Amino acid sequence: MSKYRMHLLVCGGTGCKASDSDGIISNLEKHIKEHGLENEVQVVTTGCFGFCEKGPIVKVHPDNVFYIEVKPEDAEEIVKEHLVKGRVVNRLLYVEPTLQERVGQHKDMAFYKKQIRIALRNCGFISPEDINEYISVEGYQALGKVLTEMSPEEVIELVKKSGLRGRGGGGFPTGIKWEAARKTASEDKYIICNADEGDPGAFMDRSILEGDPHSVLEAMAIAGYATGAKEGFIYIRAEYPLAIHRLQIAITQAREFGLLGKDILGTGFDFDLDIRYGAGAFVCGEETALIHSIEGDRGEPTNKPPFPAQSGLWKKPTSVNNVETFANIPPIILKGAEWFSAIGTEKSKGTKVFALAGKVNNVGLVEVPMGITLREIIFDIGGGIKDDRKFKSVQTGGPSGGCLTEENLDTPIDYETLASIGSMMGSGGMIVMDEDDCMVNVAKFYLEFTVDESCGKCTPCRVGNKRLHEILTRITEGKGTMKDLEVLKELGEAIKDTALCGLGQTSPNPVLSTMKYFWDEYVEHVKDKKCRAGVCTSLLSYYIIAEKCIGCTACARVCPVKCIKGEVKKPHEIDQSKCIKCGACYTACKFKAIEKR
Amino acid sequence: MKKVCTNKLTDEKFKALDEFIDKLSYKDGALITVLHKAQEIFGYLPVEVQLHVAQKLDMPAAKVNGVVTFYSYFSETPKGEHVISVCLGTACFVRGAENIIKEFEKRLSIKPGQTTADGKFSIDALRCVGACGLAPVVMVDGKVYGRVKVEDVDAILKNYI
């Protein structure tokens, strides 16, 4: 293998690819060749750097210089200036908003300063399509150590001691799950990796599979050794073509290297795995439903017990773990339980990856120690609210989670604290909202999702959520009553207590938490028929501000019901009795002369 | 010639599907894998294809239909020549995706899940493509358009007319 003096790491995650990072790569390679540097500088397509807001990202290694929002046409300048002359291309550096200064070094950026990257350790650093790169960063050493130096019981003990808990939502201790599968006697056992990331707004599992697929394969083999399973399945959404592609490459390479298959590393241990595709059903993130889906059936959940560890896939003992959970395993094995459990809070150890999105300046993937506050994530790492608007709420845990407010910002977050304030860790979606978001409408949005995704097996979820959604729709249309609010609460509690699986048991959370923290807004919708965020169109009226209107007639021409009257070059007026509130005039006006109230 | 001919059920397509099924190393739980392949080949899963799969895998047609209708990824109706997928994940939602999808519905006079009469466009609502940094996101035939505004809808459609 040839040695390069420099590596250009270009993000090849879904987000950056969408902004043509492939074009950047081919241009970089072209210009590197033109300057005869192809034996000195290598371009590497990596996984996600996490800083998706400013993508596509190009990082120069070992200079540690971090270029943002790179376009294919910038490639020439990077090669000519940075690679040939050794001068950093200043205009492509990140400007730290608080300092108004350009920051060259990736480690000096506020976005990265408070992060500890364990699960994401290799994302944005190695090429996910080359097993040699993974091996060069201690890859498969943990598997080697486990197979040659440790008994399965010792592995389980180590994982238990580390305090690692399931990162997919439930937070069940991983070591105990493995132990239960180990203790159930059976000839056949299975390991399943749950990559059915269904939370609309969470993309950490996909980023790990796209950026570091081997860490998951290695961890699954370790889990196989610990539990006694010889076969594994990765259940992944069909909507993730890039992750699937990279997984297929990784599996083929691991087999070629003898790290999957028969007699791994000559130790007599056999383990192999296969990919199974999901087909767009949120409920399949629930482990029993997922198992039925792998069996080729409708993905409906079943009652627990029996737990999958006793009777799972094809009625055999099965351990189902999430992608991020697996990604934590190799470092835990290599660095020890004490190292891992020193990070985090008393009951929640290690780090958690959050997909920070919504009205925040730095959208992206962040990995932070448990116990960090929401304020640190949103304002320090996330760079605060977009366009200097006022923070209103943050939603964690996706459709199963809740909306939190300003007063929760300083709570150190872990599994327990989030649950106690009416939300949950979930898979780690974190959506920031500002004063332009209507909380009733947000609750309605999540309920719409749940109604869509309910498998229909149990009545509380199938019928109850539909009723919740109907009531919320009524309220947003200005037809709600105070009685409706009582019913919302009562029905929500009832669904939580009676639904069959995790989906139904948590689906009322967005409603209940917004009612708890934003009660005034609900009452305003019902009593005053007002939506303070200006989102619920039925509760709004459009007005023309006479001082700003120049009489261009643009609004009158687009109005479908012809309710805007006025002479050319004179202020117009909307006939409220005829207005259907379609908003066409609002969009058409170029002078901001129309307002919603 | 009608445009829908891309979705025609030809013998070659059935043959390709049969070859795929015969090559599978496992039959237990293969139904979903087979349906994925069938949809890839035919573009959608009409009754004829579902019956064929049922026979080939030796299972009741009701079971095949039960699975097809359970999962949103499987479609029993043909898709348009260009599939417009509007992301309605939470990140896109709070950045205004609702208005974007409404604009597409208005322009094309169809609802999500439907196809225009000329077979040219379909609209799909989809949950999170994971490009939340670019929210709101619209995907047309796999090409991603980021930070879409209502005003951009016309320009996007023009690329495909």
Side-chain angles (χ1 to χ4, degrees):
Chain A
M1 220 160 55
S2 42
K3 284 206 173 77
Y4 296 97
R5 72 172 163 97
M6 211 178 246
H7 289 86
L8 294 179
L9 311 175
V10 185
C11 179
T14 296
C16 286
K17 251 183 170 338
S19 312
D20 203 11
S21 66
D22 286 340
I24 300 172
I25 294 167
S26 57
N27 277 6
L28 280 173
E29 281 171 344
K30 190 178 100 193
H31 291 293
I32 286 173
K33 218 170 174 179
E34 273 173 21
H35 288 84
L37 296 172
E38 65 266 36
N39 296 322
E40 292 176 48
V41 183
Q42 190 189 22
V43 182
V44 184
T45 315
T46 68
C48 180
F49 284 83
F51 200 31
C52 307
E53 178 75 34
K54 300 286 179 198
I57 308 274
V58 175
K59 191 179 160 185
V60 185
H61 185 77
D63 296 9
N64 217 6
V65 172
F66 200 85
Y67 292 128
I68 59 157
E69 292 177 338
V70 181
K71 293 186 188 63
E73 51 273 26
D74 297 329
E76 187 174 358
E77 193 176 344
I78 295 178
V79 174
K80 273 190 178 159
E81 286 293 308
H82 197 140
L83 303 188
V84 179
K85 297 183 185 154
R87 287 198 297 235
V88 172
V89 184
N90 260 310
R91 67 177 182 90
L92 294 174
L93 295 178
Y94 174 63
V95 182
E96 194 70 62
T98 45
L99 303 170
Q100 287 299 320
E101 252 173 46
R102 293 195 183 272
V103 191
Q105 297 270 317
H106 150 217
K107 60 179 189 334
D108 295 333
M109 292 165 60
F111 181 77
Y112 287 106
K113 256 187 195 163
K114 289 200 170 176
Q115 294 197 44
I116 300 180
R117 290 163 86 90
I118 299 174
L120 299 178
R121 64 195 179 280
N122 294 327
C123 291
F125 187 59
I126 61 168
S127 163
E129 298 187 6
D130 185 354
I131 190 170
N132 287 308
E133 296 219 359
Y134 181 64
I135 291 173
S136 72
V137 288
E138 300 186 329
Y140 289 103
Q141 276 189 25
L143 179 62
K145 179 176 172 185
V146 164
L147 294 182
T148 54
E149 296 170 24
M150 296 168 83
S151 70
E153 288 77 12
E154 281 169 344
V155 177
I156 289 172
E157 202 45 48
L158 177 75
V159 175
K160 270 166 76 179
K161 244 175 85 187
S162 74
L164 177 66
R165 294 167 67 176
R167 297 294 193 243
F172 193 81
T174 309
I176 295 181
K177 219 178 207 182
W178 288 9
E179 190 173 41
R182 165 117 214 127
K183 282 185 174 159
T184 314
S186 170
E187 185 76 358
D188 299 311
K189 294 183 187 181
Y190 299 101
I191 298 294
I192 293 176
C193 171
N194 183 349
D196 190 49
E197 190 168 48
D199 171 357
F203 51 98
M204 63 283 295
D205 292 349
R206 202 211 48 212
S207 287
I208 292 171
L209 293 171
E210 281 177 9
D212 192 16
H214 284 287
S215 70
V216 175
L217 305 188
E218 180 181 10
M220 287 180 73
I222 293 171
Y225 176 71
T227 56
K230 291 187 178 60
E231 217 181 328
F233 293 98
I234 300 174
Y235 183 84
I236 183 166
R237 298 177 68 188
E239 292 91 335
Y240 283 179
L242 184 62
I244 293 172
H245 174 69
R246 293 199 173 143
L247 265 176
Q248 283 164 338
I249 295 176
I251 293 173
T252 313
Q253 288 180 347
R255 281 186 191 140
E256 279 167 14
F257 276 62
L259 296 162
L260 281 178
K262 295 246 175 272
D263 193 21
I264 294 174
L265 297 170
T267 57
F269 171 65
D270 304 335
F271 187 82
D272 209 342
L273 48 82
D274 218 343
I275 303 175
R276 287 290 182 276
Y277 306 120
F282 178 65
V283 69
C284 288
E286 202 279 340
E287 53 184 6
T288 58
L290 185 157
I291 287 171
H292 297 309
S293 184
I294 294 186
E295 289 170 347
D297 290 322
R298 291 164 70 97
E300 289 172 356
T302 38
N303 263 325
K304 293 191 276 191
F307 289 93
Q310 285 120 26
S311 173
L313 188 60
W314 293 299
K315 306 261 181 291
K316 307 288 184 196
T318 304
S319 180
V320 185
N321 300 103
N322 157 272
V323 173
E324 190 188 333
T325 316
F326 276 128
N328 275 294
I329 296 286
I332 290 176
I333 303 279
L334 290 177
K335 296 185 183 175
E338 287 75 24
W339 164 79
F340 190 78
S341 61
I343 307 164
T345 63
E346 196 195 333
K347 285 186 175 160
S348 306
K349 302 298 186 191
T351 58
K352 176 76 192 93
V353 183
F354 289 101
L356 190 58
K359 306 276 180 68
V360 65
N361 275 317
N362 301 336
V363 168
L365 265 196
V366 303
E367 183 169 356
V368 288
M370 297 274 190
I372 195 170
T373 64
L374 287 166
R375 190 183 298 280
E376 286 173 279
I377 299 181
I378 298 167
F379 289 91
D380 296 346
I381 299 174
I385 311 302
K386 244 190 157 48
D387 304 326
D388 287 323
R389 310 285 295 179
K390 199 170 171 302
F391 168 83
K392 182 170 189 179
S393 175
V394 53
Q395 207 277 354
T396 69
S400 308
C403 292
L404 304 172
T405 62
E406 182 97 45
E407 63 184 271
N408 308 118
L409 280 181
D410 294 307
T411 315
I413 47 173
D414 64 14
Y415 290 99
E416 277 72 26
T417 52
L418 279 178
S420 73
I421 50 180
S423 185
M424 70 183 290
M425 185 76 80
S427 55
M430 190 175 275
I431 310 285
V432 180
M433 289 173 259
D434 68 11
E435 53 204 344
D436 289 342
D437 290 301
C438 165
M439 300 318 287
V440 185
N441 194 46
V442 166
K444 190 183 110 193
F445 163 78
Y446 279 110
L447 253 295
E448 206 170 287
F449 178 83
T450 323
V451 169
D452 231 30
E453 293 296 342
S454 171
C455 77
K457 187 171 179 177
C458 74
T459 320
C461 180
R462 182 185 67 243
V463 182
N465 283 318
K466 206 161 173 89
R467 294 292 97 83
L468 286 182
H469 182 249
E470 284 166 4
I471 298 173
L472 286 168
T473 307
R474 270 212 301 278
I475 296 174
T476 55
E477 286 171 352
K479 297 173 193 152
T481 61
M482 288 308 281
K483 176 84 187 152
D484 278 338
L485 298 186
E486 275 171 49
V487 178
L488 267 186
K489 193 152 188 290
E490 199 186 325
L491 183 57
E493 301 285 357
I495 296 172
K496 279 185 82 150
D497 289 341
T498 52
L500 172 66
C501 80
L503 192 158
Q505 286 159 11
T506 54
S507 60
N509 280 348
V511 187
L512 296 174
S513 69
T514 46
M515 286 184 83
K516 181 172 162 196
Y517 293 116
F518 299 95
W519 176 251
D520 293 352
E521 251 180 76
Y522 276 85
V523 174
E524 268 174 24
H525 277 75
V526 171
K527 281 196 172 159
D528 312 336
K529 311 289 174 206
K530 244 187 83 183
C531 172
R532 65 169 86 167
V535 173
C536 301
T537 36
S538 314
L539 304 180
L540 294 176
S541 297
Y542 289 88
Y543 295 93
I544 294 175
I545 311 166
E547 298 84 63
K548 286 191 183 169
C549 177
I550 62 149
C552 73
T553 74
C555 56
R557 276 180 280 131
V558 294
C559 177
V561 291
K562 304 284 169 228
C563 74
I564 304 180
K565 294 272 169 319
E567 285 173 43
V568 182
K569 292 188 180 166
K570 291 209 173 120
H572 283 45
E573 208 175 334
I574 300 174
D575 182 350
Q576 298 297 339
S577 65
K578 285 191 198 154
C579 175
I580 55 162
K581 298 167 184 176
C582 68
C585 53
Y586 185 81
T587 334
C589 181
K590 292 196 176 72
F591 305 94
K592 296 199 170 135
I594 297 179
E595 64 170 0
K596 299 189 264 186
R597 309 200 269 265
Chain B
M1 275 286 273
K2 270 169 98 185
K3 275 280 178 211
V4 222
C5 64
T6 44
N7 290 316
K8 233 169 157 181
L9 312 173
T10 59
D11 286 346
E12 296 100 81
K13 286 180 179 173
F14 280 108
K15 227 177 110 191
L17 180 62
D18 285 350
E19 272 170 25
F20 175 80
I21 296 174
D22 294 336
K23 267 197 211 141
L24 276 179
S25 57
Y26 59 96
K27 289 283 182 287
D28 271 358
L31 177 56
I32 291 176
T33 313
V34 171
L35 290 176
H36 271 294
K37 188 72 193 177
Q39 182 155 302
E40 191 190 311
I41 295 173
F42 292 94
Y44 69 121
L45 297 170
V47 178
E48 295 87 335
V49 174
Q50 293 181 36
L51 286 171
H52 183 82
V53 168
Q55 261 177 5
K56 192 83 189 155
L57 291 178
D58 194 21
M59 58 174 66
K63 180 175 169 173
V64 176
N65 186 255
V67 169
V68 169
T69 50
F70 184 85
Y71 296 97
S72 62
Y73 197 82
F74 298 133
S75 170
E76 292 187 278
T77 48
K79 295 258 184 236
E81 203 183 320
H82 302 290
V83 180
I84 300 166
S85 309
V86 182
C87 179
L88 286 187
T90 322
C92 288
F93 176 79
V94 301
R95 286 195 182 177
E98 226 181 355
N99 298 329
I100 308 284
I101 198 163
K102 274 189 197 147
E103 188 66 19
F104 275 111
E105 289 173 26
K106 214 163 86 188
R107 296 272 165 222
L108 299 173
S109 309
I110 49 169
K111 295 263 162 226
Q114 296 178 340
T115 305
T116 50
D118 60 359
K120 193 110 184 151
F121 292 104
S122 314
I123 304 180
D124 266 351
L126 119 175
R127 309 279 184 189
C128 202
V129 290
C132 305
L134 301 173
V137 170
V138 173
M139 216 159 79
V140 184
D141 304 337
K143 176 168 170 50
V144 178
Y145 295 87
R147 300 196 174 110
V148 178
K149 295 188 204 68
V150 174
E151 304 89 272
D152 302 336
V153 166
D154 258 349
I156 294 177
L157 284 175
K158 272 196 190 118
N159 293 339
Y160 302 92
I161 295 172

